Amino acid sequence: MKKISTLLFCFALALVAHAQQQQTKPEETPPTPSPLLGSKTDTLGVVFLTDKTPTYTIAGEDYYSIIGVRKFQRLGKDYTMIHYRDNEGWQVNYHGAVMLSQVGRLPETVGNAKDFFRTGVLYQNAVNTRFNFTRGMIELALGHNKNNSIIPASFNEMYNAQLKAERLKWRQFTTDIGVSGNVANKQLTNFGASHARLLSAVFADTLANYPYRTLPDQGETKDVLAWWRTDYEKKFTDGKLANKKLQSHVSVVFNKLWDDSEFGRLAPTPQETFTRREEAADTRAELWTRYGFGWKKSCDYEYDKRLFHTLNFIGLYTFNRIETNVKRTNMPLFDGLRNAHEITYGATYSIIYNQIVIDLKNKHYASNTADNYTNMFPSAKVVVDLNKLARLYNFEWWNYNVNLFKIHASASRSMSEAALVYRNYAALSTAMTANDALRNFYEDREIFAQTEKMTPEIYENYETGLRMNLWKNKVITTFSYFNTTTRGMIAPYNTVGEFFLQNVGDVRNAGFLVDVLHQNTFGIFRDEERYYRHRIHYSVNFTFSAMQSKVLSVAGGYEKVALAGFADAGNYFAAGEPMGAIFGTTYERMSDGSLAYNDNGEPIINPQLQRIGNPAPDFTVGITPQFGLLQFSLSCAMEYNHGGDRWNGTRAAQENNPAKAAEDYIERASYFRIAQVALSYRLPERYTHKLKVISNLNVGVSAHNLLLVSPYKGVDPASELFGYSVGRGLDLFNMPSVRSFQIFLKLTI
């Protein structure tokens, strides 16, 4: 209650300060142009500007007319325009929401399990107050969220605060500085396997044997982030070179994390309790410099008699220091440190307002935790605006209904080191059967690198695509194709009963994405002012994507490496197979494909795991229509996943038939989902002007995960085993999806 009272008190102070300012500060109006600016002719050396003058861009800022300029100010030997801002002074923003959530799709064979779940309630409150002035902005933000989940006695709560100052200008320097922090508390949020054990008890109606309410599961996370950045910019001319510019910035970011957790487990020792504490610090310093200049060259085409070229040289140095300390039950387990250095340099060349852009860079990397790699990471990118080139050279065959037509291609080589503390525990269950995993608590250990230094993952990235805008930007189409090869992928591997991080092999991912947006606005106009009186707008966004992966090789001469799952069914990294393919037990078969039986008439199960499914969908489609009328806006987000396989371990555990193989529980995982429907209303400006204090008011309602249609018999086919992303396509009493309904309010004063 004290934290909530403090939040409300700060909000009240902001309201009072804003009200006093409105009473004491005289209303400021834009400057009135001189009558001389109304001249229709220009004289030698003089240009008369009017409020109809086209947009000027000065010092990176846009001024839509001369009436928006407050004053001219001298900065050294240069002059700049200080423009008038409508939002100068105090501004207070408030966002509040209440959400009710219910359990979503459950397996068809669980009976009255819905009686266990409760209606969850989520509260959100956030307020920030900003003071904008000519040379910067200061902002204070406070927030509070509390989510009572659908599982009884389970909740998480977070308080956050932020204070920052941005765009603080002094001569050619601009500085941003700030600090933020949050405190999160949670209860009964144990690892995913514990949730699976809880749901298995709920579905089997044996909850009395699982006293989860008495478990001491709780945790607290504290996080502090501080940052500082200063930018420098200077423009000058020299001889034939024009638009010479020197830009530079230096920044420092510091992040400190404290995470404390307490767990209780029912097996193998009932009510045994252990604690985990992690402290992590991340410091990042960066120095970036860019020097660019342009020059003009005469040419013969009609669009412009001078061809404008620009060339920018870029240099970047980054230092990153990461410190991590982990203790379990007050015993030190890990104390790691990484000092990493990056040097990036390159050049960007462009012709005529970016009609053609060529970008070349290279990066060197070194750290105390990386070994056996080369530090050359080059990248190249080319962008060509065919539309501007066609207009530039006056191609008669070009269709001028095309407003934008850009094509691009890029190739790069990059890398990434493994985290000092590996937090994905999905592999720990792969050494036991699914039934054993439900009777044991095995997520009480850490996963570390096997050696002090590891080879980082190396990425070879290739991408090409285009963007095309048609019919006054009413149709925007984007297409991209990518092909990425990961060399030396890092994953846990079971060695003599222990799991260590290793480079397990190479994998290639390739696919494409098509995005088409159609939008339009129309309405009834008011007189000759051409202002919309009845404004109607709509848009439809369509996306289509498909991706395929293939494991090229497995390191160490192994046949395959288990990534998630169990000894009888799981996701594997296997040569020639898709990444994360599902392997499981299968039936022995005769030469004609029929099942082989033993002397007792039972089908013979092959203990050697074989591929039985691929969790990746064939393709994914997304459709998001949006419609607006006056101040109302209605939107809907739908998605369809076609194909993909899923192992229904929940059904296997409930049937508990040892005569059946894992392949019996493979099901298709296609689904159609209405992900979100939202309706909002914004108060018209004519009413906010009358209210004076309120400048913007927006209210709305939304529904999430409203409908799910799928042939899969288990929970949501998009859920992952124990909540780990690696466990895609596996379901052993996974947490069900949540259907929620929200009402929200956004207010600006």
Side-chain angles (χ1 to χ4, degrees):
M1 288 301 297
K2 290 184 178 179
K3 296 180 179 179
I4 297 177
S5 301
T6 303
L7 180 65
L8 294 176
F9 177 71
C10 293
F11 181 52
L13 285 180
L15 289 174
V16 172
H18 181 271
Q20 289 180 347
Q21 183 199 30
Q22 295 294 325
Q23 295 174 2
T24 59
K25 181 181 177 180
E27 185 176 358
E28 187 171 5
T29 59
T32 303
S34 167
L36 293 177
L37 297 181
S39 173
K40 300 299 182 182
T41 60
D42 299 336
T43 60
L44 183 63
V46 178
V47 177
F48 289 96
L49 305 178
T50 71
D51 58 353
K52 302 298 184 182
T53 301
T55 301
Y56 281 83
T57 301
I58 301 176
E61 300 184 46
D62 293 332
Y63 303 91
Y64 294 96
S65 66
I66 191 64
I67 197 174
V69 177
R70 168 174 294 187
K71 64 178 179 179
F72 292 87
Q73 180 169 313
R74 184 172 182 176
L75 294 176
K77 297 181 179 180
D78 299 325
Y79 287 86
T80 187
M81 289 184 180
I82 306 300
H83 69 285
Y84 173 81
R85 293 181 181 175
D86 292 332
N87 62 346
E88 286 194 7
W90 284 98
Q91 184 182 87
V92 180
N93 296 281
Y94 170 78
H95 171 76
V98 177
M99 178 185 293
L100 301 179
S101 56
Q102 301 173 342
V103 63
R105 182 190 182 99
L106 289 173
E108 297 180 356
T109 59
V110 298
N112 297 322
K114 285 189 176 181
D115 297 338
F116 166 78
F117 299 98
R118 65 178 179 179
T119 299
V121 183
L122 169 66
Y123 304 96
Q124 290 182 335
N125 289 283
V127 59
N128 70 65
T129 176
R130 297 188 303 176
F131 176 68
N132 293 278
F133 51 97
T134 303
R135 293 184 174 274
M137 181 270 291
I138 297 176
E139 178 177 340
L140 172 65
L142 302 170
H144 169 247
N145 295 339
K146 184 172 183 179
N147 182 16
N148 297 306
S149 80
I150 58 175
I151 296 180
S154 178
F155 72 88
N156 60 73
E157 187 173 20
M158 185 176 71
Y159 296 89
N160 61 277
Q162 177 177 271
L163 177 63
K164 64 179 181 180
E166 295 182 338
R167 304 191 305 272
L168 302 178
K169 294 185 178 181
W170 180 74
R171 296 184 179 275
Q172 283 84 21
F173 296 92
T174 303
T175 298
D176 299 338
I177 187 170
V179 61
S180 65
N182 64 71
V183 177
N185 296 285
K186 51 190 176 182
Q187 180 172 315
L188 279 176
T189 53
N190 207 330
F191 289 104
S194 292
H195 281 301
R197 283 188 286 275
L198 171 60
L199 291 183
S200 67
V202 172
F203 293 168
D205 197 20
T206 58
L207 193 60
N209 300 327
Y210 193 94
Y212 74 99
R213 288 176 179 268
T214 63
L215 292 176
D217 297 351
Q218 59 183 341
E220 182 180 64
T221 302
K222 300 176 182 178
D223 188 6
V224 174
L225 176 68
W227 68 93
W228 163 70
R229 168 173 172 162
T230 295
D231 294 292
Y232 171 83
E233 180 177 323
K234 181 176 178 58
K235 296 180 180 180
F236 48 92
T237 58
D238 182 15
K240 295 182 179 180
L241 299 180
N243 293 340
K244 294 177 63 176
K245 182 189 294 187
L246 176 64
Q247 294 176 292
S248 181
H249 84 243
V250 58
S251 64
V252 177
V253 179
F254 174 76
N255 186 213
K256 179 73 173 182
L257 172 73
W258 299 266
D259 183 75
D260 294 280
S261 302
E262 182 178 3
F263 305 105
R265 57 186 181 184
L266 298 177
T269 304
Q271 300 302 328
E272 182 180 351
T273 300
F274 68 94
T275 60
R276 182 185 188 277
R277 179 177 178 84
E278 179 179 351
E279 292 188 18
D282 189 342
T283 305
R284 187 179 184 89
E286 182 177 280
L287 175 61
W288 174 86
T289 300
R290 179 171 67 181
Y291 173 74
F293 56 88
W295 69 94
K296 296 180 179 180
K297 180 180 179 181
S298 298
C299 53
D300 298 329
Y301 51 82
E302 296 296 331
Y303 182 78
D304 192 346
K305 294 297 182 181
R306 292 171 299 178
L307 189 65
F308 196 77
H309 304 254
T310 61
L311 182 62
N312 291 280
F313 296 96
I314 300 172
L316 170 66
Y317 168 73
T318 302
F319 171 73
N320 189 206
R321 180 183 178 89
I322 303 175
E323 301 173 78
T324 303
N325 180 275
V326 178
K327 294 181 180 179
R328 282 186 181 269
T329 317
N330 295 325
M331 295 192 61
L333 293 183
F334 181 79
D335 191 0
L337 170 66
R338 171 179 293 158
N339 290 323
H341 306 265
E342 290 184 16
I343 298 177
T344 304
Y345 53 88
T348 302
Y349 171 72
S350 63
I351 304 176
I352 306 187
Y353 309 112
N354 298 329
Q355 270 90 335
I356 300 177
V357 178
I358 302 174
D359 185 270
L360 301 174
K361 290 187 178 68
N362 186 39
K363 183 175 75 172
H364 301 272
Y365 179 89
S367 81
N368 63 310
T369 55
D371 194 16
N372 300 327
Y373 74 102
T374 175
N375 62 356
M376 295 292 291
F377 299 101
S379 65
K381 183 176 182 179
V382 177
V383 181
V384 179
D385 192 330
L386 296 178
N387 185 58
K388 289 184 178 180
L389 288 177
R391 294 174 183 269
L392 185 66
Y393 291 100
N394 197 23
F395 292 152
E396 295 181 357
W397 50 267
W398 187 259
N399 186 344
Y400 285 96
N401 285 322
V402 179
N403 305 109
L404 176 70
F405 197 121
K406 280 188 176 182
I407 60 174
H408 71 270
S410 65
S412 65
R413 188 171 186 268
S414 56
M415 54 81 64
S416 176
E417 286 199 75
L420 291 180
V421 177
Y422 196 77
R423 294 178 175 81
N424 193 327
Y425 298 87
L428 293 178
S429 58
T430 57
M432 59 185 70
T433 66
N435 288 331
D436 290 337
L438 291 175
R439 292 192 298 266
N440 291 276
F441 188 89
Y442 50 84
E443 295 167 312
D444 56 352
R445 69 193 76 176
E446 305 290 338
I447 301 177
F448 303 114
Q450 186 174 14
T451 59
E452 182 179 352
K453 292 187 177 184
M454 292 188 63
T455 301
E457 293 180 344
I458 306 297
Y459 311 114
E460 299 169 0
N461 310 291
Y462 301 93
E463 182 178 352
T464 185
L466 61 87
R467 175 171 176 172
M468 182 168 57
N469 296 7
L470 302 173
W471 301 295
K472 298 181 179 180
N473 298 320
K474 292 181 180 179
V475 177
I476 301 175
T477 302
T478 304
F479 170 82
S480 62
Y481 168 81
F482 65 90
N483 189 313
T484 300
T485 300
T486 301
R487 305 289 184 184
M489 193 188 89
I490 297 174
Y493 185 75
N494 189 358
T495 304
V496 295
E498 294 292 332
F499 287 87
F500 297 97
L501 291 182
Q502 293 188 6
N503 298 102
V504 296
D506 303 340
V507 60
R508 176 178 296 148
N509 296 284
F512 65 91
L513 169 68
V514 178
D515 188 296
V516 180
L517 172 64
H518 171 56
Q519 57 188 358
N520 199 3
T521 301
F522 54 91
I524 302 175
F525 298 104
R526 184 197 314 168
D527 302 328
E528 69 280 356
E529 298 178 6
R530 305 295 288 175
Y531 290 143
Y532 287 115
R533 180 168 53 177
H534 299 294
R535 180 187 174 102
I536 300 174
H537 61 89
Y538 70 90
S539 67
V540 179
N541 191 210
F542 172 84
T543 61
F544 181 92
S545 63
M547 188 191 77
Q548 293 183 347
S549 65
K550 182 179 180 180
V551 175
L552 304 179
S553 63
V554 181
Y558 300 111
E559 178 185 355
K560 58 183 179 294
V561 175
L563 300 177
F566 313 99
D568 44 1
N571 295 118
Y572 278 80
F573 186 91
E577 301 291 351
M579 173 73 171
I582 303 175
F583 278 68
T585 56
T586 58
Y587 295 112
E588 296 280 2
R589 299 183 182 274
M590 307 296 289
S591 58
D592 60 356
S594 60
L595 296 181
Y597 294 88
N598 59 21
D599 295 337
N600 297 326
E602 298 174 340
I604 302 175
I605 297 178
N606 182 2
Q608 298 297 323
L609 302 188
Q610 305 293 327
R611 175 184 163 180
I612 58 177
N614 179 11
D618 300 327
F619 61 85
T620 301
V621 177
I623 303 177
T624 306
Q626 185 173 2
F627 177 79
L629 173 62
L630 298 177
Q631 307 299 318
F632 290 93
S633 179
L634 176 65
S635 64
C636 178
M638 298 171 285
E639 61 184 47
Y640 172 69
N641 272 33
H642 180 77
D645 302 312
R646 192 167 179 82
W647 176 70
N648 194 338
T650 301
R651 182 162 63 91
Q654 290 174 327
E655 293 182 2
N656 194 22
N657 187 347
K660 285 191 173 184
E663 67 172 298
D664 278 330
Y665 300 101
I666 289 292
E667 302 178 15
R668 295 294 283 173
S670 299
Y671 68 85
F672 169 79
R673 184 197 312 273
I674 299 181
Q676 181 178 1
V677 177
L679 174 66
S680 63
Y681 172 79
R682 181 176 180 178
L683 193 66
E685 292 183 1
R686 61 180 180 272
Y687 295 123
T688 57
H689 288 328
K690 292 180 181 179
L691 295 174
K692 294 183 179 180
V693 176
I694 299 177
S695 61
N696 183 38
L697 177 63
N698 194 313
V699 296
V701 294
S702 63
H704 304 263
N705 203 20
L706 195 60
L707 175 66
L708 176 64
V709 180
S710 174
Y712 180 65
K713 304 298 183 182
V715 296
D716 193 324
S719 66
E720 298 156 340
L721 181 66
F722 302 160
Y724 299 121
S725 59
V726 181
R728 183 177 61 166
L730 304 179
D731 180 4
L732 180 66
F733 299 105
N734 289 4
M735 282 295 296
S737 58
V738 174
R739 183 182 301 110
S740 59
F741 305 88
Q742 177 183 249
I743 180 171
F744 62 86
L745 166 68
K746 296 181 181 179
L747 175 67
T748 301
I749 59 176

